Amino acid sequence: MLMAFSSCLLLVLLQIFSALFLSLAQDQSGFISLDCGSPRGTSFRERTTNLTYISDANFINTGVSRNIKPAYQTQFQQQTWNLRSFPQGIRNCYTINLTIGDEYLIRANFLHGGYDNTPSTQFELHLGPNLWTKVSTTNESVALAFEMIHLLTTDRLQICLVKTGNSTPFISALEFRKLINTTYLTQEGSLQTFIRADVGATVTQGYRFGIDVFDRIWTPFNFVNWSQITTNQTVNVNNDYQPPGRAMVTASVPTDPEAAMNLSITGVERTMRFYVFMHFAEIQELSSNETREFNIMYNDKHLYGPFRPFNLSTSSIFTPAEVVADANGQYKFSLQRTGNSTLPPLLNALEIYSVILFPQQGTDRKEVDAMLNLKSGYSVNKVEWEGDPCVPRDYRWSGVNCSDIENEQPKIISLNLSGSSLTGEILEFISDLTNLEVLDLSNNSLTGSVPEFLAEMSTLKLINLSGNELNGSIPTPLLDRVRRGSISLSIDGNTGLCSSGSCATTKKKKKNTVVVPVVASLVSVFLIGAGIVTFLILKRKKRSKLPLNPNSGTGTTPLHTRSQNGYESPVIAKNRKLTYSDVVKITNNFERILGRGGFGVVYYGVLDNEPVAVKMLTESTALGYKQFKAEVELLLRVHHKDLTCLVGYCEEGDKMSLIYEYMANGDLKEHLSGKRGPSILTWEGRLRIAAESAQGLEYLHNGCKPQIVHRDIKTTNILLNEKFQAKLADFGLSRSFPLGTETHVSTVVAGTPGYLDPEYYRTNWLTEKSDVFSFGVVLLELITNQPVIDMKRERSHIGEWVGLMLSRGDINSIVDPKLQGDYDPNTIWKVVETAMTCLNPSSSRRPTMNQVVMDLKECLNMEMARNMGSRMTDSTNDSSIELSMNFTTELSPGAR
Ligand SMILES: *[C@@H]1O[C@H](CO)[C@@H](O)[C@H](O)[C@H]1NC(C)=O
Ligand SMILES: *[C@@H]1O[C@H](CO)[C@@H](O)[C@H](O)[C@H]1NC(C)=O
Ligand SMILES: *[C@@H]1O[C@H](CO)[C@@H](O)[C@H](O)[C@H]1NC(C)=O
Ligand SMILES: *[C@@H]1O[C@H](CO)[C@@H](O)[C@H](O)[C@H]1NC(C)=O
Ligand SMILES: *[C@@H]1O[C@H](CO)[C@@H](O)[C@H](O)[C@H]1NC(C)=O
Ligand SMILES: *[C@@H]1O[C@H](CO)[C@@H](O)[C@H](O)[C@H]1NC(C)=O
Ligand SMILES: *[C@@H]1O[C@H](CO)[C@@H](O)[C@H](O)[C@H]1NC(C)=O
Ligand SMILES: *[C@@H]1O[C@H](CO)[C@@H](O)[C@H](O)[C@H]1NC(C)=O
Ligand SMILES: *[C@@H]1O[C@H](CO)[C@@H](O)[C@H](O)[C@H]1NC(C)=O
């Protein structure tokens, strides 16, 4: 152990002759002196130091003022005459605004002074979330001071008094003294004062400001076998440490000039670590044949020297690294004269500090501010809402829950202010809680509207606003998130609240009247572009291979933005990598084929008692195993209720498979074609499927990082579960897999004929708008139930054909006859309009999926309202539909 630290114990000599710091002398700037317990707004100048103390009332909201007995007032400085005691609450905190990177000497002073009948107290002093020291008073007439030197890592410092037993914490004065932040540096932690000694002092009283520019308190100090020497000249003290002149004009030398000056730290635990600062100046007049030269040793290891103190000028020598005990538990410094020296060593002043660590990080400043703003904004009356909201855990604010990850800054993840008598509006400060997942404001008296910022809080998963007096409408973006399943919202018992996004219904009617001209103009645009589509589709087959992956991303560092905070469904909590033999077992030796998809054969299987679909990838479809893994890891993180969930994968040599949740009702195409039986998908059912798959796609485009372009949107990739909920399948694979056509497994072609974006085909530039195009085709299929490409039709491509029919004003002839006229023509129009804009040859003129989702949801609401036999324009009905549909969404959007 000795060897280990001796190498790093290089000492540094500081010798600054300039008078740079003379101007600093006795300047109180950079000092904050709080007289605890004195009335708000008062201040006074302390008689012996001339320091100005101010009331602490602006720095703390709790505690009560008390006074010491008048008898003690003559004995102690005025800042101890008042004190603040804390009979209420466990933790009470002072908050001081300081500047990050500044260094302060911080001193807390305690004098009981008989302010109550129990002078014996025990409590703790905390710096932010960390223990600074235990305070224990036994005698009302003994003043205690705890001091540390601390380099600020935040702009806000909290000093808390923490009740640990029965006694009531109190504090007399709190002092902050700004130091030069290049001094007293440590490798880690802060410095707690162990001793600060004026060695060889002739005075018996300690001293502070007025003599020490930084208001350090110096104690006179003499050793038994040492002698004092002194000078009546002044010593230059102008280095960064600026020890007081009074300390430097006196020094100790060993009484026996041949003896070493030995200095041990004793009576401490062996685990303590120290920093030592020694200040030297030659204060004897040496004749030309005299020298004073010595070495500084630590535990018999050479530390520094040979060193000759400068005449009447200060050198400060310090340990740049902490010193620890040797194997015998000893901490021993020794100043030893060299052979050439005619004089013994000397020591003028000495400071020893122990290292104190503050390992617990405080909560992010912004989140703390938000909580403080909420506390004052709502006048929250909770005594435990003091100090850091999250840490330490024992003193966490009630209603607040935080992430508890070791060595990480705590984050507020839930806030429960249910039944806290809150009044007024929902305050925007909440939006500064950027990691919040659960917000419960239920059973208060909150008024005003539901603010839009809630929708933008991307981590929020659960909002409970029930039992308030909110009014107005729920913002559409919030409704969208509810609909998407990314948020769960409770609003019961707010009688004034209209839950539909569109309480004002006049807009709707107006829109319907302009549908026809819009469609007409779209049609003509489409017809111009249609030629290109035909040409490209015909030409397609001649190209053998398209360069793939024009999209960004190797997929090595994908982070799914919305899945970071425990968003994943339990099924996929772990990356499920399975062996091939697992796969054989799951599928019962590939017993039942579910279908043949673009990438291989799909088998039925059972994993953890849940049915799954196992997609065996054909060898030739894989571009590379490594890429496969990266892709799969990305897909394992993508969870949305409208996307089929990947629950596992297998990669063993050339045996690669993907395991998805099982979708009991097959794909959309089977249902439209009647292959699944005679039952007909209603218009409402189709709209619901359209809206759900649009949401899934919107999520791939906007909710995933990196963005995922599906590249193969078509009716066979929209699957239906046992509840006829639609989910998109086969997304993401296209990034590392060439796509198969509908029938041929191994043909390397991008996209499926008819669904393919002509612009992508032309430019090879893939964007999410290519998916929008394909989705437009799906919408037309839902309306018409016609093949996408039919050579026998007047126009082979479904888009061209619909365009032609519309230009003839023949809308009824395009609608699937199986619907038997059971639909609201307005919604058909609206969806046709949307589909046609999706098919715009120019990708920039296509809508985003977000717009498509909104259009479809509006139509779905209208159709649902119609089916419930109520008038479309009745907003109360709208809202009840939204409620039943949306607000029951589970917290976890996972597939199961
Ligand atoms: C305090 O200030 C007064 C007047 O400014 C001065 O006369 C006195 O010497 C000062 N005392 C100390 C200890 O600095
Ligand atoms: C500290 O700064 C905050 C703003 O960040 C301010 O609201 C507060 O009043 C300040 N406290 C004091 C004592 O100046
Ligand atoms: C010391 O303070 C200065 C500004 O006064 C700041 O720029 C610097 O970063 C601080 N040094 C440290 C170690 O924090
Ligand atoms: C308290 O301290 C004072 C001065 O140090 C001493 O005279 C007195 O006896 C002490 N009282 C008790 C109760 O220990
Ligand atoms: C002081 O010196 C005497 C004689 O050299 C020695 O016996 C004694 O132990 C010393 N005391 C201390 C505290 O070092
Ligand atoms: C300093 O002290 C010496 C004796 O040690 C004395 O002779 C001299 O006059 C003193 N100088 C002053 C300025 O007081
Ligand atoms: C001081 O320490 C040195 C080295 O550890 C030792 O040799 C010497 O005897 C000590 N001197 C005194 C006076 O304790
Ligand atoms: C230094 O010189 C003085 C005379 O100038 C003499 O008295 C003294 O002994 C010398 N000291 C040493 C250590 O040689
Ligand atoms: C000390 O004395 C020796 C000879 O006795 C000499 O070689 C050495 O340079 C001297 N050291 C210093 C620092 O003067």
Side-chain angles (χ1 to χ4, degrees):
M1 207 151 143
L2 193 62
M3 297 304 291
F5 66 76
S6 62
S7 61
C8 62
L9 282 172
L10 294 167
L11 282 148
V12 177
L13 172 70
L14 257 167
Q15 180 68 50
I16 299 168
F17 290 98
S18 79
L20 246 170
F21 298 102
L22 278 179
S23 58
L24 269 183
Q26 317 302 292
D27 177 3
Q28 277 191 53
S29 67
F31 284 17
I32 300 170
S33 308
L34 302 184
D35 174 21
C36 302
S38 70
R40 184 183 294 273
T42 59
S43 73
F44 65 88
R45 197 168 70 166
E46 202 282 316
R47 209 168 32 82
T48 57
T49 57
N50 275 351
L51 284 169
T52 301
Y53 284 80
I54 59 173
S55 163
D56 65 339
N58 286 340
F59 302 85
I60 193 158
N61 296 318
T62 53
V64 291
S65 292
R66 292 282 183 266
N67 305 103
I68 63 170
K69 285 180 185 159
Y72 292 120
Q73 291 190 358
T74 51
Q75 293 175 35
F76 295 97
Q77 294 181 340
Q78 193 178 343
Q79 65 270 23
T80 63
W81 295 0
N82 298 301
L83 57 85
R84 185 173 291 274
S85 106
F86 301 95
Q88 288 211 312
I90 298 295
R91 178 169 64 162
N92 289 280
C93 297
Y94 283 88
T95 303
I96 297 100
N97 295 336
L98 298 170
T99 307
I100 190 165
D102 280 355
E103 186 176 74
Y104 279 87
L105 174 74
I106 305 169
R107 186 161 48 225
N109 301 278
F110 305 88
L111 174 67
H112 184 278
Y115 87 89
D116 68 6
N117 294 326
T118 50
S120 181
T121 66
Q122 280 189 320
F123 54 92
E124 284 179 358
L125 198 57
H126 287 207
L127 182 76
N130 293 285
L131 175 69
W132 170 7
T133 186
K134 292 185 172 169
V135 180
S136 157
T137 65
T138 50
N139 185 325
E140 65 180 34
S141 66
V142 174
L144 295 176
F146 296 89
E147 217 184 65
M148 74 165 140
I149 294 175
H150 180 65
L151 187 66
L152 288 160
T153 54
T154 54
D155 279 345
R156 173 187 288 150
L157 200 64
Q158 286 201 311
I159 292 187
C160 306
L161 291 104
V162 179
K163 190 170 185 164
T164 51
N166 294 327
S167 46
T168 304
F170 72 93
I171 186 166
S172 304
L174 201 45
E175 297 161 336
F176 301 85
R177 310 296 181 228
K178 190 171 164 185
L179 304 176
I180 295 168
N181 73 356
T182 52
T183 61
Y184 298 109
L185 293 181
T186 61
Q187 288 175 319
E188 67 170 341
S190 298
L191 295 176
Q192 179 141 251
T193 308
F194 186 75
I195 191 169
R196 189 180 294 115
D198 174 357
V199 181
T202 50
V203 294
T204 51
Q205 282 268 312
Y207 50 88
R208 55 187 292 185
F209 187 71
I211 294 160
D212 186 297
V213 290
F214 297 124
D215 192 27
R216 288 166 293 196
I217 294 175
W218 292 85
T219 312
F221 202 81
N222 281 290
F223 289 87
V224 177
N225 283 353
W226 294 4
S227 306
Q228 295 164 337
I229 56 171
T230 179
T231 180
N232 55 4
Q233 289 186 274
T234 38
V235 173
N236 184 346
V237 297
N238 295 310
N239 69 33
D240 282 0
Y241 287 90
Q242 294 195 83
R246 181 180 290 184
M248 295 308 292
V249 295
T250 61
S252 282
V253 292
T255 310
D256 172 4
E258 299 305 321
M261 288 179 88
N262 290 351
L263 226 158
S264 286
I265 302 170
T266 53
V268 299
E269 279 178 39
R270 290 169 169 228
T271 51
M272 283 182 78
R273 301 175 288 165
F274 294 95
Y275 280 82
V276 175
F277 302 79
M278 300 179 184
H279 308 284
F280 298 100
E282 182 56 74
I283 54 170
Q284 278 184 341
E285 220 165 309
L286 305 190
S287 51
S288 58
N289 63 356
E290 283 181 317
T291 51
R292 189 193 304 278
E293 187 183 80
F294 53 91
N295 285 304
I296 302 173
M297 314 289 285
Y298 178 69
N299 283 345
D300 297 330
K301 294 282 160 185
H302 181 257
L303 217 83
Y304 189 79
F307 167 64
R308 296 181 184 193
F310 293 91
N311 191 32
L312 299 176
S313 187
T314 303
S315 302
S316 298
I317 295 178
F318 55 88
T319 53
E322 55 200 28
V323 296
V324 299
D326 69 7
N328 304 319
Q330 122 177 306
Y331 305 84
K332 183 168 142 195
F333 287 87
S334 180
L335 309 184
Q336 298 176 350
R337 61 188 286 180
T338 63
N340 299 8
S341 183
T342 60
L343 294 168
L346 96 176
L347 177 61
N348 306 63
L350 172 71
E351 294 174 83
I352 300 177
Y353 297 89
S354 63
V355 175
I356 177 169
L357 296 179
F358 298 121
Q360 175 66 61
Q361 290 187 62
T363 307
D364 182 70
R365 168 75 193 260
K366 219 176 148 193
E367 295 188 9
V368 178
D369 281 348
M371 289 307 298
L372 291 173
N373 286 327
L374 288 172
K375 183 184 170 189
S376 63
Y378 285 129
S379 306
V380 176
N381 190 15
K382 295 182 192 254
V383 286
E384 73 283 7
W385 278 35
E386 279 279 318
D388 193 290
C390 292
V391 281
R393 244 204 107 112
D394 288 349
Y395 308 121
R396 182 169 293 173
W397 294 13
S398 63
V400 171
N401 214 345
C402 308
S403 64
D404 283 313
I405 301 165
E406 214 174 321
N407 300 325
E408 264 188 30
Q409 194 168 38
K411 301 180 174 80
I412 297 175
I413 54 173
S414 101
L415 176 61
N416 180 353
L417 285 173
S418 179
S420 300
S421 311
L422 309 185
T423 55
E425 307 211 324
I426 296 176
L427 296 176
E428 190 159 2
F429 298 124
I430 289 170
S431 67
D432 291 331
L433 299 172
T434 48
N435 297 291
L436 200 65
E437 292 169 14
V438 175
L439 175 65
D440 189 346
L441 299 175
S442 60
N443 302 322
N444 287 298
S445 305
L446 294 170
T447 50
S449 57
V450 177
E452 201 155 329
F453 68 77
L454 291 175
E456 284 149 28
M457 295 179 66
S458 58
T459 53
L460 257 188
K461 292 187 291 197
L462 179 74
I463 305 176
N464 189 351
L465 302 176
S466 55
N468 280 291
E469 292 154 28
L470 299 166
N471 54 37
S473 61
I474 295 173
T476 317
L478 187 56
L479 280 180
D480 282 352
R481 282 194 54 190
V482 171
R483 184 75 187 86
R484 250 188 279 142
S486 79
I487 217 162
S488 167
L489 176 67
S490 307
I491 53 160
D492 318 333
N494 288 275
T495 45
L497 201 55
C498 159
S499 54
S500 158
S502 47
C503 290
T505 49
T506 48
K507 191 176 103 232
K508 247 186 224 166
K509 272 195 173 160
K510 210 170 162 198
K511 244 187 183 169
N512 292 340
T513 62
V514 296
V515 164
V516 177
V518 169
V519 170
S521 65
L522 287 169
V523 169
S524 53
V525 170
F526 184 78
L527 288 177
I528 296 164
I532 302 167
V533 178
T534 318
F535 169 72
L536 288 171
I537 289 167
L538 293 176
K539 197 178 161 209
R540 204 203 84 245
K541 294 201 162 108
K542 290 186 188 151
R543 289 224 205 162
S544 58
K545 219 170 197 174
L546 284 171
L548 288 166
N549 290 331
N551 212 1
S552 67
T554 57
T556 48
T557 52
L559 260 190
H560 190 266
T561 47
R562 295 183 201 178
S563 71
Q564 274 168 342
N565 290 317
Y567 211 65
E568 280 149 76
S569 87
V571 182
I572 327 137
K574 303 251 170 344
N575 281 9
R576 290 297 290 269
K577 189 176 175 187
L578 303 167
T579 62
Y580 184 70
S581 63
D582 290 336
V583 172
V584 173
K585 234 180 278 164
I586 290 167
T587 57
N588 199 12
N589 203 13
F590 307 105
E591 187 184 24
R592 187 175 141 204
I593 293 180
L594 291 173
R596 287 171 211 276
F599 304 95
V601 183
V602 184
Y603 295 92
Y604 179 81
V606 177
L607 175 62
D608 295 343
N609 296 322
E610 298 275 349
V612 290
V614 179
K615 185 169 281 191
M616 299 303 297
L617 300 171
T618 318
E619 293 155 46
S620 56
T621 56
L623 284 186
Y625 302 122
K626 222 174 173 177
Q627 220 170 345
F628 168 79
K629 263 199 89 176
E631 286 299 340
V632 163
E633 264 150 30
L634 167 65
L635 295 182
L636 280 166
R637 295 172 189 225
V638 175
H639 302 299
H640 188 275
K641 68 175 183 60
D642 298 318
L643 298 172
T644 54
C645 184
L646 184 65
V647 295
Y649 70 101
C650 161
E651 180 251 308
E652 212 174 278
D654 57 359
K655 302 278 198 300
M656 286 181 290
S657 58
L658 296 169
I659 296 138
Y660 289 95
E661 64 175 311
Y662 176 63
M663 299 294 284
N665 272 312
D667 69 49
L668 174 59
K669 179 148 196 174
E670 293 170 337
H671 286 276
L672 287 175
S673 65
K675 207 172 140 191
R676 279 260 167 181
S679 74
I680 306 295
L681 276 177
T682 63
W683 179 231
E684 183 186 320
R686 294 180 199 200
L687 277 173
R688 191 183 301 279
I689 289 166
E692 283 166 350
S693 42
Q695 278 179 158
L697 189 53
E698 193 272 337
Y699 184 70
L700 289 178
H701 289 176
N702 302 325
C704 295
K705 219 178 199 173
Q707 180 189 55
I708 295 176
V709 177
H710 189 294
R711 297 226 250 175
D712 202 15
I713 293 287
K714 54 185 176 186
T715 42
T716 48
N717 274 337
I718 295 171
L719 305 183
L720 302 170
N721 70 6
E722 68 287 355
K723 294 179 203 149
F724 274 84
Q725 232 180 324
K727 297 181 187 222
L728 281 183
D730 268 5
F731 52 90
L733 288 178
S734 44
R735 284 159 42 93
S736 56
F737 288 87
L739 291 153
T741 63
E742 273 187 289
T743 46
H744 301 282
V745 166
S746 56
T747 316
V748 181
V749 182
T752 303
Y755 292 94
L756 190 65
D757 172 14
E759 190 176 276
Y760 168 43
Y761 205 92
R762 199 168 63 246
T763 61
N764 254 327
W765 182 254
L766 182 77
T767 69
E768 78 280 7
K769 290 293 183 70
S770 299
D771 284 347
V772 176
F773 182 95
S774 310
F775 193 77
V777 175
V778 169
L779 288 179
L780 290 185
E781 282 184 274
L782 282 166
I783 298 163
T784 64
N785 201 3
Q786 289 275 333
V788 176
I789 292 182
D790 182 356
M791 292 301 180
K792 289 172 283 181
R793 251 186 337 228
E794 210 171 342
R795 291 279 192 278
S796 60
H797 189 268
I798 191 169
E800 294 171 69
W801 175 72
V802 170
L804 181 69
M805 293 295 133
L806 290 181
S807 67
R808 291 175 184 166
D810 194 2
I811 185 157
N812 289 329
S813 67
I814 66 167
V815 180
D816 182 4
K818 284 185 188 160
L819 290 174
Q820 298 179 321
D822 185 11
Y823 50 80
D824 173 2
N826 283 306
T827 58
I828 296 273
W829 268 112
K830 177 80 187 157
V831 177
V832 169
E833 178 194 352
T834 301
M836 294 310 267
T837 56
C838 291
L839 293 176
N840 196 303
S842 164
S843 64
S844 61
R845 301 173 77 165
R846 294 173 203 153
T848 62
M849 280 316 292
N850 195 9
Q851 288 166 274
V852 174
V853 168
M854 292 198 315
D855 287 351
L856 291 174
K857 276 159 69 175
E858 190 181 336
C859 292
L860 176 58
N861 284 343
M862 285 162 78
E863 187 65 15
M864 285 169 72
R866 189 186 68 88
N867 288 339
M868 286 174 75
S870 47
R871 283 161 304 150
M872 258 167 33
T873 49
D874 186 341
S875 66
T876 51
N877 264 318
D878 259 6
S879 69
S880 65
I881 291 158
E882 281 281 356
L883 276 173
S884 62
M885 200 168 68
N886 296 334
F887 297 100
T888 53
T889 317
E890 289 160 34
L891 182 62
S892 164
R896 288 151 204 266

